[in-house]
Amino acid sequence: MSLFQEIAFKAELDRHVHPECEYQARIICGEDPITRANVVEELRNMINERGECHPPRLDDAFLLRFLRARRFIPARAHRLMVRYCTFREQNPHLWRDVYWYGISRLGNIFEGVLFDRPDVGRLIICRLGEWDPYVFPVEELIRGCLLLVELGTMQPKLQVLGCTVIVDCEGIGMKHARQLTPSIALQAMNVMGFTLPLHQRGVHIVNCSRLFEKLLYVFKRLAPSDDIWERVHFHGYDYNSLHRYIDPVCLPKRYGGYRESVTLKEWLTKIKKYKNKEFDEDMRTLGYAVDE
């Protein structure tokens, strides 16, 4: 593993707001350091006064995740918070007492590229064909996706930059398609952009046959918001089409890029290596099981 990657892994637990991040937050999120504290307090008061949700935390760092995901507009951040809390209440099996490091058993089904740019954010890849539904139930994939977002949004940098998702359908067959029920599709859409405080820049589906593409379109009517589907792009087997949206400089080599990807197992293993008490407390507050 390169020295650059090791430094990048250590940075995954960085909670500091660096000057570059401050500048990007102003441009991307409409965040003003001068008024930030007042806006955070406005959101906190809104949550307490309306009583529509009961977040696991109300500290500044947690509320900032929601404000940054909604252009620092308290009313929009509050609506997102209500959806987030409702989703957690309705799906406790996805997070409650789930040992966060245990999700590493998903191996290379999820990958990421530790090269975050303002126009792409963090690139996350879901290689659905690597998933064996006879080994892992489909809910385990949703748990993995949820954990990825929860961990990512602990970083101020990723709160600002957001993420771009590639769904790679290579190797998908009927044994996979049979698992994609409407309820699972709705959970996936919620995790990937409707209920969690992450700026979703786009979902790009590659190596997808026309038949499977038509199956995914069936789920369009289930989308909680039209905005979600507007950010979904189908590229078939044409990587040149993908490159029109994502600079190859940001992509792994298998998609015509130049980067090395990191598997979910590698990522979580390094986080476990470098984690601290603050990380454990963050995870415990969210309801995850942690090392004692």
Side-chain angles (χ1 to χ4, degrees), residues 117-133:
R117 276 194 358 182
D119 58 330
V120 175
R122 171 66 56 87
L123 183 64
I124 301 297
I125 303 161
C126 177
R127 301 177 66 191
L128 280 177
E130 296 294 314
W131 163 50
D132 186 344

Side-chain angles (χ1 to χ4, degrees), residues 259-286:
R259 300 288 164 185
E260 298 290 341
S261 57
V262 174
T263 70
L264 175 67
K265 183 174 183 178
E266 292 171 327
W267 188 58
L268 293 183
T269 298
K270 289 298 183 179
I271 288 178
K272 187 176 183 182
K273 176 181 178 180
Y274 294 117
K275 71 181 182 69
N276 51 30
K277 291 182 179 179
E278 180 184 5
F279 173 86
D280 284 342
E281 186 56 32
D282 282 345
M283 298 304 292
R284 187 179 291 108
T285 303
L286 290 174

Side-chain angles (χ1 to χ4, degrees), residues 92-106 140 143-144 146-148 151 264 268-269 271-273 275 279-280 283-284 286-292:
H93 63 288
L94 297 178
W95 55 270
R96 183 175 292 160
D97 297 327
V98 172
Y99 178 41
W100 69 270
Y101 182 70
I103 300 297
S104 63
R105 58 182 168 266
L106 292 176
E140 194 76 349
R143 288 190 187 98
L146 178 61
L147 180 66
L148 277 169
L151 289 177
L264 175 67
L268 293 183
T269 298
I271 288 178
K272 187 176 183 182
K273 176 181 178 180
K275 71 181 182 69
F279 173 86
D280 284 342
M283 298 304 292
R284 187 179 291 108
L286 290 174
Y288 285 93
V290 301
D291 297 306
E292 296 299 338

Side-chain angles (χ1 to χ4, degrees), residues 128 131-139 141 171-185 211-212 215-216 219:
L128 280 177
W131 163 50
D132 186 344
Y134 300 127
V135 175
F136 297 117
V138 66
E139 289 82 4
L141 297 190
I172 280 186
M174 287 307 299
K175 68 177 182 179
H176 300 94
R178 283 194 291 266
Q179 308 299 317
L180 300 180
T181 64
S183 63
I184 290 297
L211 179 62
F212 195 71
L215 173 63
L216 292 177
F219 296 126

